[in-house]
Amino acid sequence: MDVSQKASFLARKVSTAYVRTLLMHGARAIIARSKHTIWITGLLARRPYSVVVAALANKLARTAWAPDFDRSRPFSLVSQIRGCCKS
């Protein structure tokens, strides 16, 4: 690995850690300050608080990156097909 490859690797690693931190903070805020869904309430009954925070952060990350896997369709169509924007 040359110097530019190492710098690029370190930048990706730092930004990944930062995004992970933001997801954890967001999940913690959702659990602490919003109305709990059935899923969150059930998890809190069975698991420690920190595990529920990590599970919600994982769910947020999967939801945020889901449109990247289907680049052939516009974002709004993907969200309607998967049912994530039910009204």
Side-chain angles (χ1 to χ4, degrees):
M1 229 187 236
D2 65 353
V3 175
S4 64
Q5 288 174 331
K6 285 181 183 178
S8 176
F9 173 75
L10 288 175
R12 280 194 313 269
K13 190 168 179 133
V14 168
S15 63
T16 302
Y18 182 65
V19 170
R20 219 177 355 211
T21 301
L22 290 176
L23 286 167
M24 291 294 281
H25 285 309
R28 195 173 292 113
I30 289 170
I31 293 170
R33 292 178 178 83
S34 71
K35 199 172 187 181
H36 293 166
T37 63
I38 295 170
W39 182 74
I40 292 175
T41 305
L43 277 179
L44 285 170
R46 297 186 312 257
R47 302 280 186 233
Y49 185 80
S50 59
V51 174
V52 177
V53 169
L56 182 58
N58 185 25
K59 190 172 186 177
L60 291 172
R62 285 185 283 121
T63 302
W65 273 276
D68 286 342
F69 294 116
D70 193 2
R71 296 180 190 271
S72 63
R73 295 187 176 136
F75 174 71
S76 60
L77 183 58
V78 172
S79 62
Q80 288 174 4
I81 291 171
R82 294 191 178 146
C84 63
C85 299
K86 294 178 183 175
S87 52

